[in-house]
Amino acid sequence: MNAFEKVVQFITEKMAWVSMVAVVGCVALVMADVIRYNLMHEPIPGTHELVELIASVIMSTSIAYVTFVKGHVSVDILVDRFRPRTQAFFDLVNSIIALTFTAWLTVGVFVMGMRNLSYGWVTGVLQIPRAPFMFLIGATLVLTCLVLVMYGIRAVIELRKGDGHGA
């Protein structure tokens, strides 16, 4: 399990770096657009489209990392008071529910990406193809599924190991 966790950690950390670079790029683009508008009274064409596409990169590449570091909102105040096996049970249930919804969303995003690709859908002003961004979102959701599987396996191991007191 350690090798699998290390590979998942490596990939999720690299995705987080992509997200950080995209944030800097988005900020730079918006600043350039504001400066150009104030100097020339003319915005950069397609800025809103680029910001939307960059936002999809930022959000999608950060989801797996946030899941990996358990940076999401949770009710740890309550669950931390339980015994380790009970906590593992809640972690397993949480992982199964999250994995179910994430897998369902992943399939839907890939279907939408294939539809975008087959119809040749592009953005309105700059004519940038939308399909690659949909496939990026789908790929990062697959990575999120792997993280959730990893946490589910960890919970099962904790349940089987137990603390001798029962769940």
Side-chain angles (χ1 to χ4, degrees), residues 72-87:
H72 51 279
V73 176
S74 62
V75 285
D76 286 341
I77 294 171
L78 175 66
V79 176
D80 283 347
R81 296 174 189 228
F82 296 139
R83 286 181 266 168
R85 283 187 73 186
T86 307
Q87 289 178 17

Side-chain angles (χ1 to χ4, degrees), residues 29-63:
L29 176 63
V30 170
M31 284 178 50
D33 187 48
V34 169
I35 291 169
R36 178 180 166 146
Y37 185 77
N38 284 324
L39 293 176
M40 305 172 78
H41 302 290
E42 187 177 305
I44 298 173
T47 300
H48 64 285
E49 287 179 0
L50 290 172
V51 169
E52 288 173 1
L53 294 175
I54 293 171
S56 72
V57 171
I58 292 168
M59 293 302 294
S60 66
T61 55
S62 62
I63 289 172

Side-chain angles (χ1 to χ4, degrees), residues 4-20:
F4 177 67
E5 286 181 22
K6 287 181 182 180
V7 168
V8 169
Q9 179 180 4
F10 176 80
I11 296 170
T12 57
E13 286 176 352
K14 297 311 171 213
M15 289 289 112
W17 277 99
V18 169
S19 182
M20 287 184 263

Side-chain angles (χ1 to χ4, degrees), residues 45-50 52-53 120-130:
T47 300
H48 64 285
E49 287 179 0
L50 290 172
E52 288 173 1
L53 294 175
W121 287 340
V122 295
T123 60
V125 176
L126 299 176
Q127 302 295 304
I128 299 171
R130 292 170 43 184

Side-chain angles (χ1 to χ4, degrees), residues 4 18 23 28 46 69 71 81 93 101 118 134-135 146 154-155 161 167:
F4 177 67
V18 169
V23 167
V69 297
R81 296 174 189 228
V93 169
F101 283 113
S118 67
M134 298 304 298
F135 291 132
L146 287 176
R154 226 188 248 173
K161 181 175 69 172

